[in-house]
Amino acid sequence: MINKFISFEGVDGVGKTTQIDLFLKKLNENNLSYDLFREPGGTVLSEKIRNILLDNSNQISDITETLLFLTARSDLVNKKLLPKLEKNESYIICDRFLDSTLAYQAYGRGIDLDLINSITNAVVETVVPSTTFLLDCHIDISIKRLGKKDRMESAGKDFLSKVKHGFLELALLSKNRYVIIDANKSISEIEDLIWGHFQKRYLK
Ligand code: TMP
């Protein structure tokens, strides 16, 4: 049986938050219980790390940034995700997870992919989503949607293009887990696509 752990991924501005909200509404309407987490975040420690990572006034080297994201993940996995997955009661919905570190810090920043993979394996152990919805749209559309930019969002178009490309490569490497969603479509079309895949994978 597949686990009930689902992550949502994509570059900043792709519409991930809107779609997660709509997906959770659908889960509610269908009386399906869930817990929502975001990364980095979800525990007291990880939320503090999030603030450090996103604060524009902090200068952080690429390797420090990578280790901070992984530290935040480790705390979330140990304190929240692992206990919940073991109970297997509710769906666990995560706004970003391990793929973001591979896409942003390996493909985007240029940190060694194998290094991130090996620390990630130690951090997450068995806690891997059974489905990762990757929202993908034209980079100019996502950049246009960004409002006041945090430290990560300020990295620029070239960086976000590398991240987008990284996500698509990662999707090819984990075809069973990834579902690529064309996020150039309308909000309701995207919502229907995600719900359709969810029904097929978990409710049939
Ligand atoms: P959010 O804006 O989607 O909440 O994500 C926070 C930012 O952190 C976003 O710009 C993506 C970035 N990020 C990474 O660079 N690496 C990671 O491992 C995670 C989880 C997020």
PDB file of all heavy atoms in Angstrom, residues 34-70:
ATOM      1  N   TYR A  34      -6.481  15.565   6.822  1.00  0.00           N
ATOM      2  CA  TYR A  34      -5.107  15.829   6.381  1.00  0.00           C
ATOM      3  C   TYR A  34      -4.383  16.678   7.417  1.00  0.00           C
ATOM      4  O   TYR A  34      -4.999  17.320   8.272  1.00  0.00           O
ATOM      5  CB  TYR A  34      -5.098  16.559   5.034  1.00  0.00           C
ATOM      6  CG  TYR A  34      -5.762  17.919   5.094  1.00  0.00           C
ATOM      7  CD1 TYR A  34      -5.073  19.037   5.563  1.00  0.00           C
ATOM      8  CD2 TYR A  34      -7.100  18.062   4.722  1.00  0.00           C
ATOM      9  CE1 TYR A  34      -5.692  20.274   5.656  1.00  0.00           C
ATOM     10  CE2 TYR A  34      -7.718  19.296   4.813  1.00  0.00           C
ATOM     11  CZ  TYR A  34      -7.013  20.396   5.287  1.00  0.00           C
ATOM     12  OH  TYR A  34      -7.633  21.609   5.389  1.00  0.00           O
ATOM     13  N   ASP A  35      -3.061  16.682   7.316  1.00  0.00           N
ATOM     14  CA  ASP A  35      -2.216  17.636   8.037  1.00  0.00           C
ATOM     15  C   ASP A  35      -1.383  18.345   6.992  1.00  0.00           C
ATOM     16  O   ASP A  35      -0.812  17.694   6.113  1.00  0.00           O
ATOM     17  CB  ASP A  35      -1.283  16.920   9.015  1.00  0.00           C
ATOM     18  CG  ASP A  35      -2.044  16.326  10.181  1.00  0.00           C
ATOM     19  OD1 ASP A  35      -2.524  17.109  11.017  1.00  0.00           O
ATOM     20  OD2 ASP A  35      -2.186  15.088  10.223  1.00  0.00           O
ATOM     21  N   LEU A  36      -1.321  19.677   7.101  1.00  0.00           N
ATOM     22  CA  LEU A  36      -0.547  20.463   6.137  1.00  0.00           C
ATOM     23  C   LEU A  36       0.745  20.948   6.782  1.00  0.00           C
ATOM     24  O   LEU A  36       0.730  21.460   7.905  1.00  0.00           O
ATOM     25  CB  LEU A  36      -1.370  21.675   5.674  1.00  0.00           C
ATOM     26  CG  LEU A  36      -0.622  22.697   4.805  1.00  0.00           C
ATOM     27  CD1 LEU A  36      -0.269  22.098   3.441  1.00  0.00           C
ATOM     28  CD2 LEU A  36      -1.470  23.958   4.609  1.00  0.00           C
ATOM     29  N   PHE A  37       1.848  20.770   6.060  1.00  0.00           N
ATOM     30  CA  PHE A  37       3.139  21.291   6.517  1.00  0.00           C
ATOM     31  C   PHE A  37       3.768  22.084   5.388  1.00  0.00           C
ATOM     32  O   PHE A  37       3.465  21.850   4.215  1.00  0.00           O
ATOM     33  CB  PHE A  37       4.075  20.140   6.913  1.00  0.00           C
ATOM     34  CG  PHE A  37       3.549  19.334   8.062  1.00  0.00           C
ATOM     35  CD1 PHE A  37       2.877  18.145   7.839  1.00  0.00           C
ATOM     36  CD2 PHE A  37       3.677  19.794   9.366  1.00  0.00           C
ATOM     37  CE1 PHE A  37       2.364  17.414   8.900  1.00  0.00           C
ATOM     38  CE2 PHE A  37       3.167  19.076  10.428  1.00  0.00           C
ATOM     39  CZ  PHE A  37       2.510  17.877  10.196  1.00  0.00           C
ATOM     40  N   ARG A  38       4.658  23.001   5.772  1.00  0.00           N
ATOM     41  CA  ARG A  38       5.414  23.698   4.734  1.00  0.00           C
ATOM     42  C   ARG A  38       6.900  23.559   5.041  1.00  0.00           C
ATOM     43  O   ARG A  38       7.298  23.403   6.200  1.00  0.00           O
ATOM     44  CB  ARG A  38       5.046  25.171   4.666  1.00  0.00           C
ATOM     45  CG  ARG A  38       5.481  25.966   5.884  1.00  0.00           C
ATOM     46  CD  ARG A  38       5.245  27.436   5.656  1.00  0.00           C
ATOM     47  NE  ARG A  38       5.617  28.234   6.825  1.00  0.00           N
ATOM     48  CZ  ARG A  38       5.457  29.532   6.902  1.00  0.00           C
ATOM     49  NH1 ARG A  38       4.918  30.185   5.900  1.00  0.00           N
ATOM     50  NH2 ARG A  38       5.821  30.193   7.979  1.00  0.00           N
ATOM     51  N   GLU A  39       7.681  23.644   3.970  1.00  0.00           N
ATOM     52  CA  GLU A  39       9.139  23.555   4.125  1.00  0.00           C
ATOM     53  C   GLU A  39       9.814  24.766   3.517  1.00  0.00           C
ATOM     54  O   GLU A  39       9.442  25.159   2.403  1.00  0.00           O
ATOM     55  CB  GLU A  39       9.627  22.308   3.401  1.00  0.00           C
ATOM     56  CG  GLU A  39       9.633  21.083   4.281  1.00  0.00           C
ATOM     57  CD  GLU A  39      10.986  20.431   4.253  1.00  0.00           C
ATOM     58  OE1 GLU A  39      11.868  20.867   5.010  1.00  0.00           O
ATOM     59  OE2 GLU A  39      11.170  19.528   3.439  1.00  0.00           O
ATOM     60  N   PRO A  40      10.799  25.371   4.127  1.00  0.00           N
ATOM     61  CA  PRO A  40      11.203  25.031   5.472  1.00  0.00           C
ATOM     62  C   PRO A  40      10.148  25.502   6.461  1.00  0.00           C
ATOM     63  O   PRO A  40       9.523  26.525   6.260  1.00  0.00           O
ATOM     64  CB  PRO A  40      12.520  25.788   5.648  1.00  0.00           C
ATOM     65  CG  PRO A  40      12.423  26.943   4.704  1.00  0.00           C
ATOM     66  CD  PRO A  40      11.615  26.458   3.552  1.00  0.00           C
ATOM     67  N   GLY A  41       9.955  24.743   7.542  1.00  0.00           N
ATOM     68  CA  GLY A  41       8.986  25.125   8.562  1.00  0.00           C
ATOM     69  C   GLY A  41       8.322  23.922   9.191  1.00  0.00           C
ATOM     70  O   GLY A  41       8.791  22.803   9.059  1.00  0.00           O
ATOM     71  N   GLY A  42       7.226  24.183   9.899  1.00  0.00           N
ATOM     72  CA  GLY A  42       6.425  23.096  10.450  1.00  0.00           C
ATOM     73  C   GLY A  42       6.755  22.695  11.877  1.00  0.00           C
ATOM     74  O   GLY A  42       5.997  21.959  12.493  1.00  0.00           O
ATOM     75  N   THR A  43       7.900  23.134  12.397  1.00  0.00           N
ATOM     76  CA  THR A  43       8.207  22.965  13.828  1.00  0.00           C
ATOM     77  C   THR A  43       8.725  24.326  14.304  1.00  0.00           C
ATOM     78  O   THR A  43       9.083  25.178  13.475  1.00  0.00           O
ATOM     79  CB  THR A  43       9.310  21.913  14.087  1.00  0.00           C
ATOM     80  OG1 THR A  43      10.546  22.410  13.557  1.00  0.00           O
ATOM     81  CG2 THR A  43       8.979  20.558  13.476  1.00  0.00           C
ATOM     82  N   VAL A  44       8.826  24.484  15.614  1.00  0.00           N
ATOM     83  CA  VAL A  44       9.311  25.769  16.139  1.00  0.00           C
ATOM     84  C   VAL A  44      10.710  26.053  15.606  1.00  0.00           C
ATOM     85  O   VAL A  44      11.005  27.137  15.086  1.00  0.00           O
ATOM     86  CB  VAL A  44       9.301  25.741  17.694  1.00  0.00           C
ATOM     87  CG1 VAL A  44       9.926  27.010  18.255  1.00  0.00           C
ATOM     88  CG2 VAL A  44       7.873  25.581  18.201  1.00  0.00           C
ATOM     89  N   LEU A  45      11.574  25.031  15.667  1.00  0.00           N
ATOM     90  CA  LEU A  45      12.954  25.206  15.202  1.00  0.00           C
ATOM     91  C   LEU A  45      13.007  25.488  13.691  1.00  0.00           C
ATOM     92  O   LEU A  45      13.707  26.400  13.233  1.00  0.00           O
ATOM     93  CB  LEU A  45      13.773  23.950  15.539  1.00  0.00           C
ATOM     94  CG  LEU A  45      15.228  23.965  15.107  1.00  0.00           C
ATOM     95  CD1 LEU A  45      16.015  25.004  15.878  1.00  0.00           C
ATOM     96  CD2 LEU A  45      15.858  22.585  15.314  1.00  0.00           C
ATOM     97  N   SER A  46      12.241  24.725  12.930  1.00  0.00           N
ATOM     98  CA  SER A  46      12.286  24.877  11.464  1.00  0.00           C
ATOM     99  C   SER A  46      11.713  26.214  11.009  1.00  0.00           C
ATOM    100  O   SER A  46      12.160  26.775  10.001  1.00  0.00           O
ATOM    101  CB  SER A  46      11.544  23.726  10.779  1.00  0.00           C
ATOM    102  OG  SER A  46      12.082  22.502  11.208  1.00  0.00           O
ATOM    103  N   GLU A  47      10.719  26.730  11.751  1.00  0.00           N
ATOM    104  CA  GLU A  47      10.186  28.061  11.405  1.00  0.00           C
ATOM    105  C   GLU A  47      11.237  29.140  11.681  1.00  0.00           C
ATOM    106  O   GLU A  47      11.337  30.126  10.945  1.00  0.00           O
ATOM    107  CB  GLU A  47       8.890  28.357  12.177  1.00  0.00           C
ATOM    108  CG  GLU A  47       7.674  27.538  11.717  1.00  0.00           C
ATOM    109  CD  GLU A  47       7.169  27.894  10.302  1.00  0.00           C
ATOM    110  OE1 GLU A  47       7.363  29.031   9.846  1.00  0.00           O
ATOM    111  OE2 GLU A  47       6.579  26.990   9.656  1.00  0.00           O
ATOM    112  N   LYS A  48      12.037  28.935  12.745  1.00  0.00           N
ATOM    113  CA  LYS A  48      13.111  29.903  13.024  1.00  0.00           C
ATOM    114  C   LYS A  48      14.145  29.857  11.894  1.00  0.00           C
ATOM    115  O   LYS A  48      14.636  30.889  11.432  1.00  0.00           O
ATOM    116  CB  LYS A  48      13.780  29.584  14.359  1.00  0.00           C
ATOM    117  CG  LYS A  48      12.934  29.974  15.556  1.00  0.00           C
ATOM    118  CD  LYS A  48      13.647  29.704  16.863  1.00  0.00           C
ATOM    119  CE  LYS A  48      12.745  30.096  18.030  1.00  0.00           C
ATOM    120  NZ  LYS A  48      13.182  29.529  19.303  1.00  0.00           N
ATOM    121  N   ILE A  49      14.458  28.646  11.452  1.00  0.00           N
ATOM    122  CA  ILE A  49      15.423  28.501  10.344  1.00  0.00           C
ATOM    123  C   ILE A  49      14.844  29.143   9.077  1.00  0.00           C
ATOM    124  O   ILE A  49      15.553  29.797   8.308  1.00  0.00           O
ATOM    125  CB  ILE A  49      15.770  27.011  10.114  1.00  0.00           C
ATOM    126  CG1 ILE A  49      16.494  26.454  11.342  1.00  0.00           C
ATOM    127  CG2 ILE A  49      16.614  26.832   8.852  1.00  0.00           C
ATOM    128  CD1 ILE A  49      16.771  24.958  11.294  1.00  0.00           C
ATOM    129  N   ARG A  50      13.542  28.966   8.865  1.00  0.00           N
ATOM    130  CA  ARG A  50      12.890  29.594   7.697  1.00  0.00           C
ATOM    131  C   ARG A  50      13.109  31.111   7.706  1.00  0.00           C
ATOM    132  O   ARG A  50      13.470  31.704   6.689  1.00  0.00           O
ATOM    133  CB  ARG A  50      11.386  29.278   7.721  1.00  0.00           C
ATOM    134  CG  ARG A  50      10.620  29.913   6.569  1.00  0.00           C
ATOM    135  CD  ARG A  50       9.110  29.717   6.685  1.00  0.00           C
ATOM    136  NE  ARG A  50       8.460  30.330   5.541  1.00  0.00           N
ATOM    137  CZ  ARG A  50       8.208  29.722   4.398  1.00  0.00           C
ATOM    138  NH1 ARG A  50       8.525  28.463   4.240  1.00  0.00           N
ATOM    139  NH2 ARG A  50       7.643  30.364   3.405  1.00  0.00           N
ATOM    140  N   ASN A  51      12.881  31.715   8.876  1.00  0.00           N
ATOM    141  CA  ASN A  51      13.053  33.167   8.972  1.00  0.00           C
ATOM    142  C   ASN A  51      14.475  33.577   8.615  1.00  0.00           C
ATOM    143  O   ASN A  51      14.694  34.567   7.918  1.00  0.00           O
ATOM    144  CB  ASN A  51      12.703  33.656  10.383  1.00  0.00           C
ATOM    145  CG  ASN A  51      11.213  33.576  10.627  1.00  0.00           C
ATOM    146  OD1 ASN A  51      10.423  33.562   9.681  1.00  0.00           O
ATOM    147  ND2 ASN A  51      10.811  33.497  11.889  1.00  0.00           N
ATOM    148  N   ILE A  52      15.445  32.810   9.093  1.00  0.00           N
ATOM    149  CA  ILE A  52      16.851  33.123   8.789  1.00  0.00           C
ATOM    150  C   ILE A  52      17.084  33.010   7.275  1.00  0.00           C
ATOM    151  O   ILE A  52      17.683  33.890   6.649  1.00  0.00           O
ATOM    152  CB  ILE A  52      17.791  32.149   9.538  1.00  0.00           C
ATOM    153  CG1 ILE A  52      17.703  32.374  11.048  1.00  0.00           C
ATOM    154  CG2 ILE A  52      19.242  32.285   9.041  1.00  0.00           C
ATOM    155  CD1 ILE A  52      18.381  31.299  11.888  1.00  0.00           C
ATOM    156  N   LEU A  53      16.568  31.931   6.690  1.00  0.00           N
ATOM    157  CA  LEU A  53      16.832  31.669   5.264  1.00  0.00           C
ATOM    158  C   LEU A  53      16.197  32.708   4.338  1.00  0.00           C
ATOM    159  O   LEU A  53      16.742  33.021   3.276  1.00  0.00           O
ATOM    160  CB  LEU A  53      16.323  30.271   4.892  1.00  0.00           C
ATOM    161  CG  LEU A  53      17.250  29.121   5.267  1.00  0.00           C
ATOM    162  CD1 LEU A  53      16.500  27.787   5.283  1.00  0.00           C
ATOM    163  CD2 LEU A  53      18.416  29.048   4.273  1.00  0.00           C
ATOM    164  N   LEU A  54      15.022  33.207   4.733  1.00  0.00           N
ATOM    165  CA  LEU A  54      14.285  34.098   3.817  1.00  0.00           C
ATOM    166  C   LEU A  54      14.561  35.578   4.069  1.00  0.00           C
ATOM    167  O   LEU A  54      14.197  36.425   3.258  1.00  0.00           O
ATOM    168  CB  LEU A  54      12.779  33.821   3.897  1.00  0.00           C
ATOM    169  CG  LEU A  54      12.354  32.383   3.534  1.00  0.00           C
ATOM    170  CD1 LEU A  54      10.835  32.272   3.459  1.00  0.00           C
ATOM    171  CD2 LEU A  54      12.976  31.913   2.222  1.00  0.00           C
ATOM    172  N   ASP A  55      15.246  35.873   5.172  1.00  0.00           N
ATOM    173  CA  ASP A  55      15.506  37.260   5.543  1.00  0.00           C
ATOM    174  C   ASP A  55      16.531  37.895   4.586  1.00  0.00           C
ATOM    175  O   ASP A  55      17.684  37.466   4.520  1.00  0.00           O
ATOM    176  CB  ASP A  55      16.033  37.281   6.989  1.00  0.00           C
ATOM    177  CG  ASP A  55      16.249  38.700   7.496  1.00  0.00           C
ATOM    178  OD1 ASP A  55      16.274  39.645   6.680  1.00  0.00           O
ATOM    179  OD2 ASP A  55      16.402  38.860   8.717  1.00  0.00           O
ATOM    180  N   ASN A  56      16.080  38.934   3.886  1.00  0.00           N
ATOM    181  CA  ASN A  56      16.942  39.600   2.889  1.00  0.00           C
ATOM    182  C   ASN A  56      18.218  40.187   3.485  1.00  0.00           C
ATOM    183  O   ASN A  56      19.197  40.395   2.768  1.00  0.00           O
ATOM    184  CB  ASN A  56      16.158  40.727   2.221  1.00  0.00           C
ATOM    185  CG  ASN A  56      15.389  40.225   1.022  1.00  0.00           C
ATOM    186  OD1 ASN A  56      15.944  39.489   0.203  1.00  0.00           O
ATOM    187  ND2 ASN A  56      14.129  40.585   0.914  1.00  0.00           N
ATOM    188  N   SER A  57      18.202  40.451   4.791  1.00  0.00           N
ATOM    189  CA  SER A  57      19.379  41.105   5.376  1.00  0.00           C
ATOM    190  C   SER A  57      20.478  40.095   5.732  1.00  0.00           C
ATOM    191  O   SER A  57      21.569  40.488   6.147  1.00  0.00           O
ATOM    192  CB  SER A  57      18.978  41.923   6.606  1.00  0.00           C
ATOM    193  OG  SER A  57      18.551  41.060   7.630  1.00  0.00           O
ATOM    194  N   ASN A  58      20.203  38.805   5.583  1.00  0.00           N
ATOM    195  CA  ASN A  58      21.224  37.797   5.898  1.00  0.00           C
ATOM    196  C   ASN A  58      22.052  37.440   4.674  1.00  0.00           C
ATOM    197  O   ASN A  58      21.500  37.163   3.606  1.00  0.00           O
ATOM    198  CB  ASN A  58      20.566  36.510   6.416  1.00  0.00           C
ATOM    199  CG  ASN A  58      20.067  36.666   7.830  1.00  0.00           C
ATOM    200  OD1 ASN A  58      20.595  37.467   8.596  1.00  0.00           O
ATOM    201  ND2 ASN A  58      19.040  35.904   8.188  1.00  0.00           N
ATOM    202  N   GLN A  59      23.360  37.435   4.847  1.00  0.00           N
ATOM    203  CA  GLN A  59      24.245  36.925   3.780  1.00  0.00           C
ATOM    204  C   GLN A  59      24.587  35.498   4.154  1.00  0.00           C
ATOM    205  O   GLN A  59      25.168  35.255   5.217  1.00  0.00           O
ATOM    206  CB  GLN A  59      25.503  37.764   3.707  1.00  0.00           C
ATOM    207  CG  GLN A  59      25.240  39.104   3.048  1.00  0.00           C
ATOM    208  CD  GLN A  59      26.518  39.847   2.747  1.00  0.00           C
ATOM    209  OE1 GLN A  59      27.597  39.463   3.178  1.00  0.00           O
ATOM    210  NE2 GLN A  59      26.393  40.928   2.011  1.00  0.00           N
ATOM    211  N   ILE A  60      24.237  34.564   3.290  1.00  0.00           N
ATOM    212  CA  ILE A  60      24.404  33.137   3.617  1.00  0.00           C
ATOM    213  C   ILE A  60      25.112  32.459   2.451  1.00  0.00           C
ATOM    214  O   ILE A  60      24.686  32.603   1.302  1.00  0.00           O
ATOM    215  CB  ILE A  60      23.017  32.477   3.857  1.00  0.00           C
ATOM    216  CG1 ILE A  60      22.243  33.228   4.947  1.00  0.00           C
ATOM    217  CG2 ILE A  60      23.171  31.014   4.239  1.00  0.00           C
ATOM    218  CD1 ILE A  60      20.834  32.700   5.199  1.00  0.00           C
ATOM    219  N   SER A  61      26.168  31.722   2.731  1.00  0.00           N
ATOM    220  CA  SER A  61      26.863  31.031   1.623  1.00  0.00           C
ATOM    221  C   SER A  61      25.986  29.878   1.131  1.00  0.00           C
ATOM    222  O   SER A  61      25.074  29.420   1.832  1.00  0.00           O
ATOM    223  CB  SER A  61      28.217  30.498   2.100  1.00  0.00           C
ATOM    224  OG  SER A  61      28.012  29.353   2.904  1.00  0.00           O
ATOM    225  N   ASP A  62      26.287  29.407  -0.076  1.00  0.00           N
ATOM    226  CA  ASP A  62      25.439  28.365  -0.676  1.00  0.00           C
ATOM    227  C   ASP A  62      25.438  27.077   0.149  1.00  0.00           C
ATOM    228  O   ASP A  62      24.404  26.430   0.306  1.00  0.00           O
ATOM    229  CB  ASP A  62      25.919  28.066  -2.107  1.00  0.00           C
ATOM    230  CG  ASP A  62      25.680  29.247  -3.032  1.00  0.00           C
ATOM    231  OD1 ASP A  62      24.934  30.175  -2.623  1.00  0.00           O
ATOM    232  OD2 ASP A  62      26.226  29.252  -4.151  1.00  0.00           O
ATOM    233  N   ILE A  63      26.598  26.707   0.679  1.00  0.00           N
ATOM    234  CA  ILE A  63      26.642  25.449   1.455  1.00  0.00           C
ATOM    235  C   ILE A  63      25.943  25.634   2.803  1.00  0.00           C
ATOM    236  O   ILE A  63      25.225  24.739   3.270  1.00  0.00           O
ATOM    237  CB  ILE A  63      28.101  24.915   1.611  1.00  0.00           C
ATOM    238  CG1 ILE A  63      28.108  23.522   2.277  1.00  0.00           C
ATOM    239  CG2 ILE A  63      28.994  25.869   2.370  1.00  0.00           C
ATOM    240  CD1 ILE A  63      27.556  22.417   1.437  1.00  0.00           C
ATOM    241  N   THR A  64      26.082  26.823   3.401  1.00  0.00           N
ATOM    242  CA  THR A  64      25.368  27.079   4.668  1.00  0.00           C
ATOM    243  C   THR A  64      23.868  27.022   4.422  1.00  0.00           C
ATOM    244  O   THR A  64      23.117  26.407   5.192  1.00  0.00           O
ATOM    245  CB  THR A  64      25.760  28.463   5.242  1.00  0.00           C
ATOM    246  OG1 THR A  64      27.167  28.510   5.381  1.00  0.00           O
ATOM    247  CG2 THR A  64      25.101  28.719   6.577  1.00  0.00           C
ATOM    248  N   GLU A  65      23.444  27.656   3.329  1.00  0.00           N
ATOM    249  CA  GLU A  65      22.019  27.645   2.967  1.00  0.00           C
ATOM    250  C   GLU A  65      21.522  26.197   2.834  1.00  0.00           C
ATOM    251  O   GLU A  65      20.477  25.825   3.381  1.00  0.00           O
ATOM    252  CB  GLU A  65      21.849  28.400   1.641  1.00  0.00           C
ATOM    253  CG  GLU A  65      20.446  28.353   1.075  1.00  0.00           C
ATOM    254  CD  GLU A  65      20.387  29.034  -0.287  1.00  0.00           C
ATOM    255  OE1 GLU A  65      20.553  30.252  -0.346  1.00  0.00           O
ATOM    256  OE2 GLU A  65      20.169  28.319  -1.293  1.00  0.00           O
ATOM    257  N   THR A  66      22.298  25.386   2.135  1.00  0.00           N
ATOM    258  CA  THR A  66      21.916  23.982   1.903  1.00  0.00           C
ATOM    259  C   THR A  66      21.756  23.250   3.240  1.00  0.00           C
ATOM    260  O   THR A  66      20.763  22.551   3.476  1.00  0.00           O
ATOM    261  CB  THR A  66      23.005  23.278   1.055  1.00  0.00           C
ATOM    262  OG1 THR A  66      23.183  24.022  -0.134  1.00  0.00           O
ATOM    263  CG2 THR A  66      22.619  21.852   0.728  1.00  0.00           C
ATOM    264  N   LEU A  67      22.729  23.430   4.096  1.00  0.00           N
ATOM    265  CA  LEU A  67      22.693  22.724   5.385  1.00  0.00           C
ATOM    266  C   LEU A  67      21.536  23.206   6.250  1.00  0.00           C
ATOM    267  O   LEU A  67      20.924  22.423   6.977  1.00  0.00           O
ATOM    268  CB  LEU A  67      24.038  22.895   6.112  1.00  0.00           C
ATOM    269  CG  LEU A  67      25.212  22.197   5.407  1.00  0.00           C
ATOM    270  CD1 LEU A  67      26.539  22.607   6.031  1.00  0.00           C
ATOM    271  CD2 LEU A  67      25.052  20.674   5.433  1.00  0.00           C
ATOM    272  N   LEU A  68      21.210  24.491   6.141  1.00  0.00           N
ATOM    273  CA  LEU A  68      20.075  25.006   6.921  1.00  0.00           C
ATOM    274  C   LEU A  68      18.752  24.391   6.438  1.00  0.00           C
ATOM    275  O   LEU A  68      17.907  24.002   7.244  1.00  0.00           O
ATOM    276  CB  LEU A  68      20.023  26.533   6.851  1.00  0.00           C
ATOM    277  CG  LEU A  68      21.049  27.271   7.713  1.00  0.00           C
ATOM    278  CD1 LEU A  68      21.068  28.765   7.392  1.00  0.00           C
ATOM    279  CD2 LEU A  68      20.765  27.068   9.205  1.00  0.00           C
ATOM    280  N   PHE A  69      18.577  24.300   5.119  1.00  0.00           N
ATOM    281  CA  PHE A  69      17.346  23.666   4.608  1.00  0.00           C
ATOM    282  C   PHE A  69      17.268  22.216   5.081  1.00  0.00           C
ATOM    283  O   PHE A  69      16.206  21.729   5.474  1.00  0.00           O
ATOM    284  CB  PHE A  69      17.300  23.712   3.070  1.00  0.00           C
ATOM    285  CG  PHE A  69      16.794  25.029   2.517  1.00  0.00           C
ATOM    286  CD1 PHE A  69      17.615  25.851   1.770  1.00  0.00           C
ATOM    287  CD2 PHE A  69      15.483  25.444   2.740  1.00  0.00           C
ATOM    288  CE1 PHE A  69      17.148  27.062   1.251  1.00  0.00           C
ATOM    289  CE2 PHE A  69      15.000  26.647   2.229  1.00  0.00           C
ATOM    290  CZ  PHE A  69      15.845  27.460   1.480  1.00  0.00           C
ATOM    291  N   LEU A  70      18.403  21.528   5.051  1.00  0.00           N
ATOM    292  CA  LEU A  70      18.406  20.117   5.453  1.00  0.00           C
ATOM    293  C   LEU A  70      18.182  19.969   6.964  1.00  0.00           C
ATOM    294  O   LEU A  70      17.530  19.016   7.409  1.00  0.00           O
ATOM    295  CB  LEU A  70      19.725  19.457   5.027  1.00  0.00           C
ATOM    296  CG  LEU A  70      19.861  19.297   3.503  1.00  0.00           C
ATOM    297  CD1 LEU A  70      21.299  18.975   3.113  1.00  0.00           C
ATOM    298  CD2 LEU A  70      18.922  18.200   2.979  1.00  0.00           C
TER     299      LEU A  70
END
